[in-house]
Amino acid sequence: MGFATTAIHSGQEPEATTGAVTVPIYQTSTYAQEGLGKHKGYGKHKGYEYARTQNPTRAALEKNLAALEGAKYGFAFASGMAAIDATLRLVKAGEHVVVSDNTYGGTFRLFSRVLTNYNLEFDFVDTSNVLNVEAAIKPNTRMVFLETPTNPVMIVTDLRAVSEVAHRAGARVVCDNTFMSPYLQRPLEFGVDIVVHSTTKYLNGHSDGIGGVVVLNNEEDAAWIGFIQNSAGAILSPFDSWLVMRGTKTLALRMEQHDKSGRAVAAFLEEHPRVKKVYYPGSAAHPQHALASRQQRGFGGMVAFDVGSLAAARTVLESVRLCTLAESLGGVETLISHPATMTHASVDRHKREQLGITDGLVRISVGLEDTEDIIGDIDQALSRI
Ligand SMILES: Cc1ncc(COP(=O)(O)O)c(C=O)c1O
């Protein structure tokens, strides 16, 4: 089956009682039991006892998302951060994790400020050079955690090369695939072991819910993630699960358009005299354009550009009329943001500047409005600098 067919049908069988074509929102906290130790069961499934542990709406979404990434198992969580936190429970006290140094600020915060208190060790390196990963691996390294392309400066990591190095050292590889969605990049095909997403972004796609997912193939690790999901309890609600399922049905179409408009916006910015630099892996000038072209099916709708100063960035951000000044990404509406003071404010200034997250950097999540309207709005805002 092709991607769009899988997105529409996997986990989405008509409901057994009425034939409803849409998976119902099973808004229940518990399930009646026939007698002690005897469950009534539901459809083909048996053993629904309590809705933190099992919920048919969530199960349908988990099956859907696992299929989209080409994985056997999926677990949906209350947020992307909850999914990442659950994944890190595969690592034990005294063990070490190598992480992409330009990872999402919330991931950096969880690793460096929370999990270090439990004696987990982290090294943040530029994973776009596989030699850095190799050099950072220690005898107690059990995980390599990647983001590609990174937020917001779009650094690309070679998933196959890093997976080979990590596996030789007996470490699992995790990839946060939020920026690409499984339509544009399927990390498991390059040897990655576990994929995490903030479903809040492209998978939901409509900016109306927070959620996360972990998908993987290894049975033992999957059993542990499932155990953590139930034990710690940061599950995705039935309604939010349903919203993400509604989102994935149009994921292929939406990503095609995000990609088309993303390329057009990047090309427009590259020619603009007020723009000093554009960060977009789809651009031939991007240092890893060839790798991105091999590893990704497209380049998506995330574009960052530098206008040289905080004053110029402020002018752009405060002059847009169609684009909305907001954090987040991956929704139908175009969002524009200022990483240095918004998403990456928790990263220290020196590190930010080293990564290219200057005061003049502006990030756009190119939405699904007409491409010429998006470009027209950015053009009029740039003209005010
Ligand atoms: C790449 C990436 N990973 C993870 C997250 C965290 O997801 P959530 O906000 O759903 O917890 C985000 C949120 O912006 C993100 O951009």
Side-chain angles (χ1 to χ4, degrees):
M1 293 290 179
F3 187 93
T5 310
T6 304
I8 292 166
H9 292 286
S10 184
Q12 313 292 306
E13 292 79 21
E15 189 265 334
T17 317
T18 63
V21 293
T22 309
V23 174
I25 302 167
Y26 285 90
Q27 196 68 35
T28 186
S29 60
T30 192
Y31 308 88
Q33 302 186 14
E34 279 178 347
L36 278 186
K38 282 200 258 167
H39 307 297
K40 267 194 190 328
Y42 165 76
K44 285 188 289 216
H45 307 280
K46 294 284 174 213
Y48 284 98
E49 302 159 84
Y50 184 61
R52 168 164 36 75
T53 319
Q54 313 103 343
N55 180 283
T57 318
R58 194 179 82 222
L61 171 69
E62 291 172 335
K63 189 170 172 194
N64 185 258
L65 295 180
L68 293 183
E69 285 285 3
K72 281 197 214 151
Y73 308 103
F75 300 92
F77 290 87
S79 68
M81 289 320 305
I84 292 171
D85 184 56
T87 303
L88 266 289
R89 307 300 174 106
L90 289 165
V91 183
K92 298 190 179 65
E95 294 180 347
H96 173 247
V97 183
V98 178
V99 190
S100 294
D101 64 351
N102 180 215
T103 194
Y104 167 62
T107 303
F108 177 75
R109 181 175 54 203
L110 174 71
F111 292 3
S112 60
R113 308 242 338 246
V114 180
L115 298 179
T116 48
N117 292 328
Y118 301 92
N119 203 19
L120 264 57
E121 257 185 80
F122 297 92
D123 267 313
F124 297 86
V125 304
D126 176 3
T127 53
S128 67
N129 182 349
V130 67
L131 297 178
N132 293 338
V133 179
E134 204 158 18
I137 285 178
K138 306 202 283 195
N140 60 340
T141 305
R142 291 290 169 272
M143 184 179 279
V144 175
F145 189 99
L146 305 171
E147 222 177 284
T148 179
T150 59
N151 171 20
V153 289
M154 312 305 279
I155 298 166
V156 181
T157 287
D158 186 331
L159 293 172
R160 194 184 299 284
V162 170
S163 297
E164 280 169 15
V165 162
H167 289 160
R168 273 205 298 277
R172 304 167 182 87
V173 180
V174 181
C175 178
D176 181 335
N177 200 25
T178 300
F179 259 42
M180 285 287 96
S181 90
Y183 184 72
L184 295 180
Q185 177 171 274
R186 302 222 307 169
L188 300 182
E189 289 173 359
F190 298 95
V192 166
D193 303 289
I194 301 172
V195 170
V196 296
H197 280 275
S198 164
T199 62
T200 312
K201 321 298 182 195
Y202 289 108
L203 291 173
N204 174 306
H206 296 74
S207 310
D208 54 12
I210 298 281
V213 71
V214 182
V215 303
L216 70 171
N217 280 317
N218 181 282
E219 197 178 336
E220 208 178 310
D221 283 356
W224 186 243
I225 299 284
F227 189 76
I228 293 296
Q229 186 191 41
N230 184 42
S231 304
I235 49 160
L236 192 63
S237 77
F239 181 56
D240 286 304
S241 299
W242 184 86
L243 283 175
V244 179
M245 268 190 289
R246 192 179 56 161
T248 61
K249 286 173 188 157
T250 56
L251 184 64
L253 282 174
R254 286 189 288 107
M255 292 317 295
E256 283 290 339
Q257 185 62 29
H258 283 299
D259 184 53
K260 187 167 154 250
S261 289
R263 291 177 199 231
V265 167
F268 162 78
L269 290 169
E270 279 182 328
E271 296 299 318
H272 201 287
R274 298 273 150 77
V275 175
K276 313 273 181 246
K277 188 164 180 186
V278 176
Y279 297 87
Y280 188 66
S283 145
H286 188 285
Q288 295 160 298
H289 178 63
L291 170 61
S293 307
R294 272 203 311 279
Q295 192 165 270
Q296 302 169 196
R297 178 172 174 166
F299 306 103
M302 297 306 299
V303 185
F305 60 101
D306 202 319
V307 287
S309 70
L310 179 60
R314 187 190 299 281
T315 302
V316 172
L317 293 159
E318 292 181 355
S319 304
V320 286
R321 299 190 196 118
L322 173 69
C323 307
T324 304
L325 175 61
E327 292 194 10
S328 204
L329 59 111
V332 292
E333 57 289 286
T334 297
L335 301 180
I336 191 160
S337 67
H338 186 241
T341 56
M342 295 167 76
T343 45
H344 289 68
S346 60
V347 180
D348 77 59
R349 187 179 189 86
H350 175 69
K351 182 75 190 160
R352 270 204 316 262
E353 281 175 0
Q354 222 179 15
L355 292 167
I357 308 172
T358 59
D359 285 351
L361 191 75
V362 174
R363 186 188 84 176
I364 309 181
S365 167
V366 178
L368 301 181
E369 302 93 341
D370 293 292
T371 313
E372 52 276 23
D373 291 338
I374 301 169
I375 291 177
D377 191 37
I378 299 166
D379 193 20
Q380 68 76 25
L382 281 169
S383 72
R384 284 163 206 271
I385 293 178

